[in-house]
Amino acid sequence: LAKTTQPISMDSYEGQEVNITCSHNNIATNDYITWYQQFPSQGPRFIIQGYKTKVTNEVASLFIPADRKSSTLSLPRVSLSDTAVYYCLVKTTDSWGKLQFGAGTQVVVTP
Amino acid sequence: SAVISQKPSRDICQRGTSLTIQCQVDSQVTMMFWYRQQPGQSLTLIATANQGSEATYESGFVIDKFPISRPNLTFSTLTVSNMSPEDSSIYLCSATGDYEQYFGPGTRLTVT
């Protein structure tokens, strides 16, 4: 599985856009990029997944450049409730459910 | 989507004892997994719970320490055996959906 690298922490104010960039230099052709969110005392929750270009859902957008060696999770207009740890993961189709979590990014949103 | 519940939500246990954690999924799922999250750390995969056969363990985890059962497509148990303070962690059950992975709320275990 490709190793991921992301910032340890990010601070933001309410209403701002938060962009978290993840590096995955060794991503394989069949791998997907997926992001999870974890609040204290809860299990991780799926946010978004993509293979290339741009994916958007009601929660976030995911930008993946052509070389797929990095990706950026964009959280628009964050609120205090978006304070959480965000994990960038690479999923391989050979072991779909076996997720290798990195350290994650602690996002703190303040008023 | 799948909703996963775990019992107990937390427990405090004495060194040398064992604890069995139950995981219930509200729908049939193909694959179930157990993860561990040590204090302030990320999640580490313990094993894949295989229905009707022995679990598949990741490097560093063994069946004698973490026996796992999966009698059907909605239920699994993880036992933490002969516990030591180093086993104090959050243990999370996970199940694979069509597109994403679902996680239970976790069981917070403290070993004294």
Side-chain angles (χ1 to χ4, degrees), chain A residues 8-28:
Chain A
I8 295 298
S9 65
M10 296 183 73
D11 296 331
S12 179
Y13 291 105
E14 276 190 299
Q16 289 187 329
E17 177 180 82
V18 172
N19 295 307
I20 308 171
T21 296
C22 176
S23 170
H24 27 78
N25 291 320
N26 297 322
I27 191 168

Side-chain angles (χ1 to χ4, degrees), chain A residues 37 39 52 64 92 110:
Chain A
Q37 174 192 56
F39 297 113
K52 61 181 179 180
I64 306 169
T92 176
T110 54

Side-chain angles (χ1 to χ4, degrees), chain B residues 55-99:
Chain B
T56 305
Y57 291 84
E58 298 299 308
S59 176
F61 298 96
V62 294
I63 187 171
D64 290 345
K65 177 67 176 177
F66 298 101
I68 289 170
S69 78
R70 189 177 173 196
N72 56 49
L73 293 176
T74 64
F75 186 79
S76 178
T77 66
L78 168 75
T79 298
V80 186
S81 304
N82 188 25
M83 289 183 284
S84 67
E86 293 72 35
D87 295 319
S88 296
S89 288
I90 299 172
Y91 292 86
L92 299 104
C93 175
S94 176
T96 300
D98 292 335
Y99 190 71

Side-chain angles (χ1 to χ4, degrees), chain B residues 6 10-11 14 24-25 36 39-40 44 60-61 63 70 78 82 84 91:
Chain B
Q6 290 184 227
R10 60 176 60 225
D11 207 341
Q14 289 192 342
Q24 180 73 55
V25 188
R36 180 175 73 181
T44 300
F61 298 96
I63 187 171
R70 189 177 173 196
L78 168 75
N82 188 25
S84 67
Y91 292 86

Side-chain angles (χ1 to χ4, degrees), chain B residues 9-25:
Chain B
S9 58
R10 60 176 60 225
D11 207 341
I12 301 173
C13 301
Q14 289 192 342
R15 179 196 302 259
T17 62
S18 298
L19 176 72
T20 295
I21 302 168
Q22 298 180 5
C23 174
Q24 180 73 55
V25 188

